[in-house]
Amino acid sequence: MTMLQLVIAFLLAIELAAGSRLLKSTSNPSICETIVQGYGYPCLQDTVTTEDGFVLGMQRIPHGINHNTDNNERDPGAATFVMNTPSQSLAFILADQGYDVWLGNTRGSDASLGHISLSNQDKEFWNWSFEEHGKYDLLAMLQLIYNTTGSRSHFIGYSQGTTIGLVGLTQPKVTSLLSSVVLLNPVAFLKNITPPFTIALAHSYLEKFLFSVGINEFNPAKGVVAGELKEICKIQGIDCSNVLEVAMGMYLKQCNNAYINRTRFPYYLQFLPQSTSTKNLALYTQMIRSGGFDWYDYGSPADNMKYYNQTTPPAIDFSTYPSNLPLLLVTGGEDGLADVPDVQRLLDSLVNCNVTHVFRPECGHADFVWGTNAHTDIYVDVANFLKSIPK
């Protein structure tokens, strides 16, 4: 996935939640104020601290507009977006169906720039990848939900949110807090991706240059990073004028001939892109070049020995996944990031798991986020799956 793809996926789509843009100052308006409450939905703010000291912001939509707030049958749920209208956004749809929807923000996003001892200007603050998202951020958010509600959660991830979920599934503490997992456009193996900018980015080894000049926060919208991305576009002859189309690998292959409303792009750009770490970028580009779904490669056999007791990073171990935890994968045939061959490889790796797979041959990557028919073409499958899970 491209740098911009990476950032957008990780902010919009970790599901416990949609990625959101809580501004860095607590005096600035939050996603509750800027989006959710404007539609008439209740929205609560909270924070949680991870085992390694990061302070994460969370938002909660405890019920829909007309839902009985005293209903104890509601489940804590995972939702993907609140950026389209309530009838088109999964978070609102699930809230209206009686789910207690929590929106999570992983470390490094605007809502989660706190730490118990580090400043987000410190190099060490950015020393993480999606490995820490899955092992620490996800666990902390799920634990907060369980402590608050007494219930396990349905986790719904989109794009990088699915990568985070796939890491979390290797952790027994995480899986013990889950009722089910939904992966929309699952990103694990990246050997056969097709977006030209993503491929060019991986083979430019941009992360090595950024590390060499001391840039550990990867912000694609400004500074040296933005300049380097423009240069990659120029060298490759890629039109990067529309940041969202480049970021999402958008080929406009909409489900059932629906469309993505381009007039909303300026609105989306109020929230995107946001920062991730250069180390996170490095891990994704390593995966693209190697074709594997492996832990971070520290660059030398000696350094890998320190972390893994072997000279190369190990593959993420699917055999550790619980066989009885219901998993739903929804994928698209026109997706250049969660492409068909790589998704099939993932499905083959999950052969011992309780997997349901829904394939939408006409859908592309962005359809799952901003397609105007997502609520009928994709979210119905999600809602039906969640209803099938025993309480």
Side-chain angles (χ1 to χ4, degrees), residues 157-316:
Y158 164 80
S159 199
Q160 184 182 251
T162 69
T163 315
I164 294 169
L166 290 167
V167 170
L169 286 172
T170 67
Q171 309 298 304
K173 288 183 180 179
V174 169
T175 59
S176 70
L177 297 169
L178 293 171
S179 294
S180 71
V181 172
V182 176
L183 305 177
L184 307 176
N185 302 119
V187 175
F189 300 104
L190 297 169
K191 182 178 181 180
N192 298 287
I193 61 171
T194 59
F197 180 75
T198 307
I199 296 170
L201 182 64
H203 292 283
S204 73
Y205 289 85
L206 174 61
E207 72 277 9
K208 290 189 176 182
F209 166 73
L210 296 178
F211 281 136
S212 73
V213 297
I215 296 177
N216 299 286
E217 174 187 359
F218 187 87
N219 186 331
K222 65 181 182 180
V224 173
V225 172
E228 290 297 317
L229 293 177
K230 289 179 181 178
E231 188 63 23
I232 291 172
C233 291
K234 181 179 178 181
I235 292 172
Q236 296 296 324
I238 299 169
D239 180 9
C240 295
S241 59
N242 189 323
V243 64
L244 289 182
E245 292 201 21
V246 172
M248 298 302 292
M250 233 181 252
Y251 296 107
L252 302 180
K253 302 281 189 178
Q254 277 67 53
C255 300
N256 296 328
N257 297 314
Y259 69 97
I260 291 171
N261 187 349
R262 290 172 179 264
T263 65
R264 290 185 65 82
F265 281 7
Y267 174 73
Y268 299 147
L269 286 170
Q270 295 179 61
F271 305 92
L272 303 167
Q274 294 185 38
S275 294
T276 186
S277 69
T278 302
K279 185 176 181 179
N280 200 29
L281 162 67
L283 180 49
Y284 273 110
T285 57
Q286 289 172 4
M287 290 163 55
I288 293 169
R289 294 190 294 264
S290 72
F293 189 29
D294 305 325
W295 300 119
Y296 185 79
D297 188 342
Y298 286 89
S300 72
D303 286 340
N304 286 327
M305 281 293 294
K306 293 177 184 177
Y307 290 93
Y308 307 120
N309 201 32
Q310 60 184 63
T311 58
T312 58
I316 291 174

Side-chain angles (χ1 to χ4, degrees), residues 178-182 322-328 354-356 385 389-390:
L178 293 171
S179 294
S180 71
V181 172
V182 176
S323 60
N324 60 342
L325 181 66
L327 308 180
L328 171 66
N354 180 13
V355 176
T356 300
F385 172 78
I389 305 302

Side-chain angles (χ1 to χ4, degrees), residues 145-165:
I145 295 171
Y146 184 81
N147 291 347
T148 304
T149 68
S151 298
R152 294 181 298 170
S153 295
H154 302 290
F155 172 88
I156 306 171
Y158 164 80
S159 199
Q160 184 182 251
T162 69
T163 315
I164 294 169

Side-chain angles (χ1 to χ4, degrees), residues 27 36 65 74 83 108 116 123 140 143 230 232 235 248 268 291 315 335 357 387:
S27 63
V36 178
I65 294 177
R74 293 181 290 112
M83 285 194 175
I116 59 174
K123 173 182 177 180
Q143 191 66 61
K230 289 179 181 178
I232 291 172
I235 292 172
M248 298 302 292
Y268 299 147
D335 192 335
H357 179 212
K387 291 176 184 176

Side-chain angles (χ1 to χ4, degrees), residues 359-381:
F359 180 59
R360 297 298 184 198
E362 72 284 4
C363 292
H365 200 75
D367 294 321
F368 288 65
V369 187
W370 296 323
T372 54
N373 277 7
H375 59 298
T376 55
D377 294 329
I378 297 164
Y379 300 159
V380 169
D381 295 315

